[in-house]
Amino acid sequence: MESRAAVLYEMGLPRPYADSRPLKVETVKLDEPGPGEVLVRIRAAGLCHSDLSVIDGSRPRPVPMALGHEAAGEVVQTGEGVTDLSPGDHVVCIFVPSCGHCLPCREGRPALCEPGAEANVKGTLLSGARRIHRGETTIHHHLGVSAFADYAVVSRHSLVKVDPRLPFEQAALFGCAVMTGVGAVLNTAGVKPGSSVAIVGLGGVGLCALLGARLAGARQIVAVDVQGEKLSFARELGASDTFDAREDGMEEAIRRATAGGVDYAFETAGVVDALHLAFRITRRGGVTVTSGLPHPDRRLSIPPVVLTAEERTIKGSYVGSCVPQRDIPRYIDLFRQGRLPVDRLLSGTLPLEQINEGFDRLASGTVARLVVTT
Ligand SMILES: NC(=O)c1ccc[n+]([C@@H]2O[C@H](COP(=O)([O-])OP(=O)(O)OC[C@H]3O[C@@H](n4cnc5c(N)ncnc54)[C@H](O)[C@@H]3O)[C@@H](O)[C@H]2O)c1
Ligand SMILES: [Zn+2]
Ligand SMILES: [Zn+2]
């Protein structure tokens, strides 16, 4: 069948993207879903920094690639062997398919699925197939989803069925920003009530971490960014202290405000300087969690003696260490009870044709989450 999709042919084109237009919205041909696969009518897809990092070349991937991975939609057709989804079901896409059989999957850590990671790096579905074509060219899938499109063929293992009462543009956020941010706090760090937390980088992921920290009962939530608007928004969402990372003396001011540093610091900017800062504002014995995805060539330099003598921990957090089939329905319940108001993060919706302009706005650091609706 035919579908529109936003396809990246070349990484690293200059900003503004409104002029260089790295994403071409074009008509592609989708194959029928193969065994274990599902055709989804995509209805909403969020603009995440991980898409931007493919566009700007800091997360190198094979091109041409159809981008978009934070999405929600409706099942249209199921491939052979898919017995637990039916046409009309509402689904949220997850950006690491999990095979269910490899060691991380058997350990209950599907975000680390080995065949899932391999497929994502190669730009294929979990089966190894690529189902998007334009003329003679076969196009790569982004994270098994490719959701800046009207339709997508994805693995069953890339989908979680959700409550159909949830509007699609809210549901989409659960697929990446919510799992990544809330999961980092609840799963990766296991933040305890009464503790102090810092969040460095207040985009979709960081603001979800902030909401997660409130939910976890943190007594102090320090929010840090380089954009003034983000700091005031963080205060509206419940941050107790905010700091501009560009200001001199900010690091000492945070340490003073937190009596020597926080129990848990989260880096959610995707910038090494932000991770370094998060580490330095973590207290002795504290935990620094990193969710950002800087270019693979970037390095972090810290004195190892501090890890030992101060019993410090640095933990990576991918997909918020979530088990999506368990956590997405839980987080949706918490949202519906008003305890996880992630709808506040929606900065606006845009049509697929304005996707390049949308990425200019994300790159400017001023929006939380923009969502393409189709
Ligand atoms: N671990 C995962 O599973 C996972 C999932 C999704 C996204 N990510 C990554 O998380 C990061 C954040 O994603 P997002 O979509 O929220 O991004 P975003 O662009 O919406 O937000 C990033 C924020 O960081 C701020 N920032 C930039 N430099 C900073 C600095 N030096 N100090 C403090 N703040 C700074 C920006 O102003 C912006 O507000 C990206 O690297 C993305 O690729 C990881
Ligand atoms: Zn994402
Ligand atoms: Zn697996």
Side-chain angles (χ1 to χ4, degrees):
M1 70 174 300
E2 287 194 341
S3 169
R4 289 179 309 158
V7 183
L8 179 76
Y9 286 90
E10 190 184 346
M11 291 181 283
L13 289 180
R15 282 168 62 198
Y17 300 135
D19 295 337
S20 62
R21 306 205 84 71
L23 291 174
K24 315 273 179 251
V25 177
E26 50 193 22
T27 303
V28 296
K29 190 180 154 291
L30 289 182
D31 295 335
E32 296 265 305
E37 294 171 358
V38 180
L39 173 68
V40 178
R41 169 74 175 97
I42 301 291
R43 301 294 298 275
L47 277 64
C48 170
H49 206 107
S50 301
D51 297 298
L52 181 57
S53 295
V54 179
I55 295 170
D56 72 17
S58 49
R59 200 150 169 76
R61 296 283 168 172
V63 288
M65 176 175 271
L67 295 192
H69 65 279
E70 179 184 85
E74 216 171 312
V75 172
V76 177
Q77 187 189 342
T78 53
E80 189 191 316
V82 178
T83 53
D84 56 350
L85 284 178
S86 311
D89 283 349
H90 289 203
V91 285
V92 165
C93 299
I94 46 187
F95 62 90
V96 181
S98 55
C99 72
H101 305 296
C102 70
L103 184 59
C105 279
R106 279 189 278 133
E107 282 181 334
R109 303 178 78 183
L112 305 183
C113 175
E114 286 160 4
E118 193 185 330
N120 280 0
V121 168
K122 287 187 178 153
T124 69
L125 299 183
L126 186 61
S127 61
R130 287 186 288 155
R131 306 264 181 233
I132 315 169
H133 312 275
R134 182 169 160 85
E136 299 298 296
T137 309
T138 300
I139 292 167
H140 296 86
H141 297 256
H142 188 211
L143 302 173
V145 179
S146 295
F148 296 137
D150 298 316
Y151 293 88
V153 174
V154 305
S155 164
R156 167 66 185 95
H157 298 291
S158 297
L159 297 174
V160 174
K161 185 175 165 178
V162 296
D163 186 332
R165 289 172 295 178
L166 194 65
F168 288 112
E169 63 268 25
Q170 294 174 3
L173 305 179
F174 286 83
C176 181
V178 178
M179 270 202 293
T180 304
V182 177
V185 171
L186 301 186
N187 297 328
T188 314
V191 167
K192 294 190 182 65
S195 50
S196 57
V197 166
I199 293 152
V200 185
L202 304 171
V205 174
L207 292 168
C208 282
L210 193 165
L211 296 176
R214 277 187 58 180
L215 180 72
R219 75 172 195 288
Q220 185 177 23
I221 303 175
V222 174
V224 185
D225 203 287
V226 289
Q227 296 286 340
E229 298 133 76
K230 287 292 181 59
L231 300 178
S232 28
F233 189 43
R235 276 193 296 275
E236 283 174 35
L237 292 180
S240 46
D241 309 73
T242 54
F243 294 90
D244 188 328
R246 293 164 305 181
E247 277 176 15
D248 289 342
M250 155 276 310
E251 195 181 315
E252 295 69 34
I254 296 176
R255 267 199 293 269
R256 269 197 309 278
T258 57
V262 293
D263 300 319
Y264 306 94
F266 295 86
E267 180 279 315
T268 47
V271 175
V272 176
D273 285 348
L275 175 54
H276 212 216
L277 174 66
F279 183 71
R280 292 194 310 261
I281 60 173
T282 307
R283 71 165 171 84
R284 294 161 64 84
V287 178
T288 310
V289 174
T290 179
S291 297
L293 294 163
H295 190 286
D297 290 347
R298 297 302 310 274
R299 294 288 178 272
L300 172 71
S301 172
I302 52 160
V305 65
V306 173
L307 294 177
T308 308
E310 298 185 6
E311 290 204 345
R312 310 266 238 105
T313 305
I314 302 180
K315 291 181 98 171
S317 179
Y318 199 44
V319 203
S321 315
C322 283
V323 178
Q325 308 287 345
R326 173 195 72 189
D327 291 326
I328 288 184
R330 282 187 186 174
Y331 297 165
I332 289 175
D333 271 356
L334 289 162
F335 164 67
R336 304 194 71 197
Q337 294 167 19
R339 296 160 74 191
L340 205 51
V342 297
D343 55 331
R344 300 277 306 273
L345 268 57
L346 263 181
S347 314
T349 57
L350 34 104
L352 191 53
E353 294 74 20
Q354 282 173 25
I355 185 96
N356 290 296
E357 288 78 0
F359 277 108
D360 278 327
R361 291 174 66 193
L362 183 70
S364 76
T366 52
V367 290
R369 260 321 189 244
L370 291 168
V371 172
V372 166
T373 50
T374 50

